[in-house]
Amino acid sequence: MTQAKAYAATSATSGLNPSVIERREPGANDVEIAIEFCGLCHSDVHTIRSEWGPAKYPLVPGHEIVGSVRRIGAAVTGFAVGDRVGVGCMVDSCRECDSCLEGLEQYCENGNIGTYGAADRRNGDSITQGGYSSSIVVDENYVLSVPAGLDPAAVAPLLCAGITTYSPLRYLDVQEGEAVGVVGLGGLGHMAVKIAKALGAEVTVFTTSPAKTAAALELGADHVVVSSDPAQMAAAKGTLNAILDTVAASHDLNPYLRTLDLDGALIQLGLPENPMPSVDTGLLIRKRLAYGGSLIGGIAETQEMLDFCAEHGIVSDIEMVTAAQLDQAYDRMVAGDVKYRFVLDNSTL
Ligand code: NAP
Ligand code: ZN
Ligand code: ZN
């Protein structure tokens, strides 16, 4: 075992505090990563504060990990010491079920093994601990290559926010000229804007924050709709082919369904603590709309997304924080006061 510095929560109200965790010695197929940066995802907040049910404390969150390879196991073929690599939201899966065999490990029928808070079936059911730590050991099949030429700190959020928005845009096969709506301009939302624009879409941002209008246009959005303004919502009626909903709190989807055109689709990405109000099935039926959900992306698709972002010069817009600022950063994220992703400088642990 190797000791790693970390910031952990010990209860739903403890906040994050300095701790030391143990990492396994790299096995034959493992890569040991010295973590340089880790993005702060709203899922970290939901989990640490037990908003999705009781978390397994003590718990170190973080699943937008970028670092450099420090040691490799004897059978590792894809990575060498010194390579810049990433780890996203999962560190393993069964590798045998239909989903895993199709490269859809996130939908593993036996449950993907999350980067934190999951029982690690291949490693004695120990509880996985995430990226707010100085190192991590991961099977090479769940490690990504970070393309050269991109700012590594700003790449970190691609490992969750990037793939979570890239995957449904590809699944919906968004084509050049199609109209895509993005609800909520936070970590996921701003990546959705950048990726949808790079795919050639015409992008409409729906925000609850009128102050974000100029920033949304600067990010590349073609239109901004302040969702609390009925006149602006009415003007957007029937204009969109697809919507990604990235809001972290419960809200009514029906006003957004009305902005879809015939055969449009709304994909739910945000997973709020409290249930969402029900969807008006009449809206779905009268325009043959689809309402679905999507979970991160598979490993091969995550690598494809990183390469796509490198090709298009896309990274996240970030604000660096020190370990001592983590609690304050969470409060600011919940208040919507971030442009658009906090990234932990792991050298401050
Ligand atoms: P975030 O950075 O906090 O952004 C969420 C945005 O939602 C806010 O910036 C805000 O945008 C909007 N919002 C509107 N009302 C809100 C309210 N009452 N409270 C909070 N936000 C509100 O969060 P994120 O990291 O992008 O994550 C968004 C959601 O996606 C979370 O629920 C997270 O757990 C989930 N998630 C899902 C997956 C997946 O695989 N499906 C992956 C990662 C995260 P405006 O100010 O523009 O309205
Ligand atoms: Zn996440
Ligand atoms: Zn599986």
Side-chain angles (χ1 to χ4, degrees):
M1 291 284 191
T2 306
Q3 294 205 317
K5 285 196 239 174
Y7 263 56
T10 48
S11 78
T13 54
S14 67
L16 292 156
N17 296 294
S19 84
V20 173
I21 57 172
E22 295 202 316
R23 296 298 194 186
R24 66 178 186 265
E25 285 299 302
N29 300 104
D30 283 338
V31 172
E32 183 185 68
I33 301 163
I35 304 177
E36 300 169 274
F37 305 105
C38 185
L40 276 57
C41 178
H42 209 114
S43 300
D44 302 347
V45 181
H46 291 312
T47 304
I48 284 302
R49 296 184 175 177
S50 283
E51 292 175 1
W52 287 341
K56 299 186 180 82
Y57 302 105
L59 186 58
V60 177
H63 59 204
E64 293 183 339
I65 298 168
V66 166
S68 67
V69 174
R70 192 160 65 191
R71 288 194 284 171
I72 55 171
V76 168
T77 56
F79 300 96
V81 171
D83 284 357
R84 177 150 288 131
V85 293
V87 176
C89 302
M90 59 188 161
V91 290
D92 211 338
S93 63
C94 86
R95 310 180 195 186
E96 289 168 3
C97 72
D98 288 346
S99 296
C100 283
L101 293 176
E102 280 178 49
L104 297 168
E105 301 91 345
Q106 73 275 34
Y107 304 114
C108 174
E109 290 161 27
N110 296 297
N112 79 61
I113 297 179
T115 302
Y116 58 80
D120 193 350
R121 296 191 292 272
R122 246 180 272 271
N123 290 287
D125 276 344
S126 57
I127 301 302
T128 55
Q129 304 292 338
Y132 301 2
S133 61
S134 53
S135 69
I136 191 167
V137 177
V138 181
D139 185 290
E140 72 163 326
N141 292 300
Y142 297 81
V143 175
L144 291 310
S145 266
V146 172
L150 294 179
D151 172 8
V155 164
L158 303 184
L159 276 308
C160 174
I163 184 60
T164 300
T165 49
Y166 180 83
S167 185
L169 289 169
R170 294 305 307 266
Y171 176 73
L172 293 172
D173 196 21
V174 167
Q175 298 291 322
E176 184 139 12
E178 287 190 336
V180 171
V182 175
V183 187
L185 195 62
L188 266 58
H190 94 292
M191 290 311 309
V193 172
K194 292 186 184 209
I195 293 169
K197 281 305 296 179
L199 290 169
E202 182 178 341
V203 176
T204 298
V205 167
F206 295 93
T207 181
T208 60
S209 312
K212 290 185 185 173
T213 302
L217 295 169
E218 261 168 51
L219 275 174
D222 299 285
H223 316 280
V224 181
V225 173
V226 176
S227 51
S228 55
D229 180 343
Q232 289 188 39
M233 289 298 285
K237 193 175 172 205
T239 60
L240 301 175
N241 304 113
I243 296 176
L244 301 187
D245 186 299
T246 75
V247 177
S250 176
H251 60 289
D252 185 3
L253 288 172
N254 295 313
Y256 300 104
L257 290 172
R258 290 189 188 94
T259 68
L260 287 169
D261 196 4
L262 182 68
D263 289 336
L266 188 153
I267 302 288
Q268 182 71 37
L269 299 175
L271 187 53
E273 174 182 11
N274 298 310
M276 302 276 285
S278 58
V279 162
D280 177 348
T281 47
L283 290 174
L284 301 179
I285 289 167
R286 283 193 294 272
K287 279 198 169 172
R288 199 162 60 180
L289 304 181
Y291 172 45
S294 184
L295 177 67
I296 49 173
I299 296 297
E301 191 176 42
T302 305
Q303 190 64 58
E304 179 189 304
M305 176 277 307
L306 287 168
D307 297 340
F308 175 90
C309 286
E311 193 185 316
H312 293 271
I314 294 174
V315 285
S316 176
D317 289 11
I318 63 167
E319 180 178 337
M320 295 292 291
V321 292
T322 64
Q325 294 171 320
L326 283 168
D327 289 334
Q328 191 199 357
Y330 275 22
D331 289 340
R332 283 184 55 196
M333 201 189 323
V334 170
D337 176 23
V338 53
K339 263 177 145 184
Y340 289 93
R341 199 58 139 187
F342 291 115
V343 172
L344 171 64
D345 175 352
N346 288 54
S347 71
T348 64
L349 286 167

